Amino acid sequence: MSQQRKAVALISGGLDSMLATKAIMNQGIHVEGINFFTGFCVEGHTHAIRKRDTDKVKRNNSLWVAEQLGIKLHIIDIIEEYKQVLINPKHGYGANMNPCLDCKIFMVNKAKQWMQENGFDFIITGEVIGQRPMSQRKYTMPVIAAESGADDRLLRPLCAQNLPATLPEREGWIDRNQLFGFSGRSRKPQMALAKEFGFSDYAQPAGGCCFLTDESYSLKLVDLWKARGTRDYELDDVMLLKVGRHIRPRPHFKLIVAREDGEAQFMSGYKKEYVSMHCTHHRGPLVLLDGSLNADDIALAGRILARYGQGRDEAQVEVSVRDQQGVEQIISVQPFKIDEIPEDWFI
Amino acid sequence: MSHQEISLRRLLCPLPVIRTQDTIKTLQSGDTLTVICTDPGVMHDIPAWCRINGHQVLNTRIESGEYIIEIQVT
Ligand code: SF4
């Protein structure tokens, strides 16, 4: 009896990796999924934070895909190791702070380690030549295979027919003729294959799999590094960049202004790490202050906060300022008028 | 058979799922694990993770705004 071959699939939660996995399962291969959590993934967090998103189904797409396919899914925390990828990418960034090529190389390398540790035979991804401008191009395919160390144990079922045969194809574990030759940005071949496989419900991520492809998020990250004078971050930084308005009136401090109740509730969990502010007599947002502030800075921050509260038209409003130890002081400030806050303070 | 309880308060999905998964890896079949979370998303994600990995959710409940899930390792 021939040996049962096993593949590990990089599951992003999108359609392509779902199709690639199904295509290989259909050839009798045992497949298990792997999903990496960098901290920047779009999955989950924002839905959990923002109240206005609570109507949406809060499913985690990679778990959902695994369940549809009937495969196990291993979710791996790579937050710490990923810092080196993001801070110093050998192949540079995409349109924003997305180091997609280095990221893919890193993830395939991690999948290779997992494959070796767990006695699996090869790796599959949902990559398609020409699908994404940075990481999924004809010349990047061999780069990812070589630099990750996966070499010919990396199989891309959706575009395999456009690439040299990999080990699973040459060894006959996989029939190359039953793989695909997709290329380019069109989604039509994937849609047709989804229909053929009977998948009617699937996630269609717009820009990519993470916040790093988002322009506004990337600007906030760059601003954070610049203000701190070092290209480093902790998970809490990553999380707080996802919420609120970020306003930097002076180079040495910024305000994070909650935009709605869900964000305020989430941000209130950080009151022991940051100085926080709110209006005492009017409804208004919670604000966290990042940086070291003197009395003038706090008064300035108070004026900004007051502009977002219901006392914005008053001559003076009272603001509570709480330090990390919970010690509170009340200050009185004149709210900024709507158009008084300079545009370039907004990050 | 042992029982463990872990606090996953303040963690947002998928971190509670990852911590649950990593703890279950250290347990034996028949052991039980209780996870206490504050992200409501766990009520969906942890049972989904258990279903696909073959573990049994014994009970889910909300107590004082916390989401508590009891799992039996299989
Ligand atoms: S979009 Fe984000 S997670 Fe996806 S490859 Fe690019 S950097 Fe990596």
Side-chain angles (χ1 to χ4, degrees):
Chain A
M1 212 177 90
S2 67
Q3 189 185 341
Q4 170 67 61
R5 294 292 168 184
K6 297 194 272 186
V8 55
L10 266 75
I11 298 289
S12 66
L15 178 60
D16 293 3
S17 51
M18 188 180 187
L19 295 173
T21 303
K22 182 70 179 168
I24 296 305
M25 291 170 75
N26 284 353
Q27 295 207 29
I29 303 290
H30 172 86
V31 185
E32 293 188 17
I34 195 166
N35 173 263
F36 295 107
F37 180 61
T38 62
F40 296 96
C41 309
V42 176
E43 289 292 331
H45 287 166
T46 35
H47 300 310
I49 296 167
R50 286 193 203 149
K51 248 203 168 119
R52 64 168 176 262
D53 286 345
T54 48
D55 301 346
K56 292 184 193 162
V57 183
K58 276 203 221 102
R59 79 177 182 206
N60 173 305
N61 282 318
S62 53
L63 282 170
W64 183 84
V65 162
E67 195 164 13
Q68 298 309 301
L69 292 167
I71 61 169
K72 287 189 175 182
L73 181 74
H74 311 274
I75 311 179
I76 318 259
D77 169 355
I78 53 165
I79 297 167
E80 275 306 310
E81 292 167 88
Y82 192 74
K83 285 182 183 174
Q84 282 319 309
V85 179
L86 174 57
I87 291 169
N88 201 9
K90 179 177 162 195
H91 297 281
Y93 299 101
N96 295 295
M97 289 304 286
N98 48 313
C100 290
L101 186 48
D102 290 83
C103 178
K104 269 277 152 60
I105 293 166
F106 177 77
M107 288 183 180
V108 174
N109 173 267
K110 294 293 291 181
K112 180 195 146 199
Q113 286 173 29
W114 190 95
M115 170 188 88
Q116 289 171 333
E117 285 162 17
N118 291 279
F120 278 52
D121 300 294
F122 61 102
I123 302 161
I124 53 182
T125 71
E127 290 165 290
V128 170
I129 295 170
Q131 184 87 182
R132 293 206 190 275
M134 186 175 189
S135 59
Q136 298 190 28
R137 294 161 74 169
K138 182 116 192 170
Y139 88 91
T140 63
M141 297 281 165
V143 173
I144 295 168
E147 292 193 17
S148 65
D151 297 314
D152 60 358
R153 285 183 188 260
L154 175 58
L155 174 66
R156 287 97 165 192
L158 301 186
C159 62
Q161 290 176 353
N162 301 324
L163 293 167
T166 57
L167 184 77
E169 295 159 274
R170 294 198 310 272
E171 291 291 320
W173 306 339
I174 287 290
D175 175 6
R176 184 175 168 89
N177 294 323
Q178 290 181 53
L179 300 177
F180 305 93
F182 300 170
S183 69
R185 293 186 73 90
S186 167
R187 304 290 298 156
K188 283 197 185 129
Q190 282 94 323
M191 307 277 198
L193 189 59
K195 201 168 169 200
E196 192 186 317
F197 285 160
F199 300 145
S200 52
D201 179 14
Y202 42 83
Q204 303 236 45
C209 13
C210 76
F211 271 98
L212 297 169
T213 57
D214 181 81
E215 186 183 3
S216 143
Y217 189 90
S218 295
L219 289 172
K220 288 183 213 159
L221 179 63
V222 171
D223 166 82
L224 181 94
W225 285 348
K226 200 172 145 204
R228 296 204 180 149
T230 167
R231 288 162 69 87
D232 198 5
Y233 60 88
E234 296 303 324
L235 182 62
D236 281 343
D237 297 321
V238 172
M239 299 304 301
L240 284 172
L241 293 181
K242 293 178 186 176
V243 296
R245 283 186 186 83
H246 290 237
I247 303 172
R248 186 176 293 287
R250 299 283 179 268
H252 60 281
F253 78 92
K254 75 169 175 182
L255 294 82
I256 306 172
V257 185
R259 289 172 294 195
E260 41 92 288
D261 289 349
E263 288 190 343
Q265 199 181 345
F266 174 74
M267 284 163 53
S268 62
Y270 287 88
K271 282 182 176 175
K272 288 199 172 107
E273 283 87 33
Y274 294 87
V275 174
S276 58
M277 300 177 111
H278 67 272
C279 299
T280 52
H281 296 323
H282 299 92
R283 262 188 69 81
L286 175 72
V287 163
L288 298 179
L289 299 173
D290 183 16
S292 41
L293 291 81
N294 62 29
D296 287 347
D297 297 333
I298 287 183
L300 178 62
R303 294 190 64 198
I304 298 171
L305 156 66
R307 174 257 175 267
Y308 290 101
Q310 285 184 353
R312 65 178 71 93
D313 297 323
E314 306 285 338
Q316 292 280 313
V317 301
E318 279 191 358
V319 168
S320 153
V321 185
R322 240 178 85 119
D323 71 13
Q324 293 91 328
Q325 285 72 44
V327 179
E328 189 181 33
Q329 60 161 314
I330 305 291
I331 59 169
S332 181
V333 298
Q334 179 192 359
F336 271 117
K337 298 279 167 268
I338 288 180
D339 52 359
E340 258 180 348
I341 302 179
E343 270 295 308
D344 62 359
W345 288 6
F346 292 88
I347 308 165
Chain B
M1 265 178 254
S2 74
H3 176 73
Q4 260 204 46
E5 183 175 300
I6 51 170
S7 165
L8 304 175
R9 296 176 179 93
R10 274 193 63 189
L11 295 181
L12 297 181
C13 283
L15 283 171
V17 184
I18 297 175
R19 300 287 181 263
T20 301
Q21 164 194 271
D22 294 350
T23 306
I24 284 181
K25 260 191 219 155
T26 68
L27 300 177
Q28 307 291 321
S29 174
D31 289 351
T32 50
L33 172 70
T34 300
V35 295
I36 305 166
C37 311
T38 47
D39 177 358
V42 299
M43 297 301 255
H44 192 276
D45 290 356
I46 291 181
W49 183 86
C50 288
R51 280 196 302 276
I52 62 181
N53 289 285
H55 303 295
Q56 201 188 344
V57 174
L58 300 174
N59 180 265
T60 59
R61 61 184 189 276
I62 306 173
E63 265 177 33
S64 323
E66 296 187 329
Y67 302 87
I68 301 166
I69 303 176
E70 280 173 33
I71 303 161
Q72 180 154 50
V73 181
T74 52

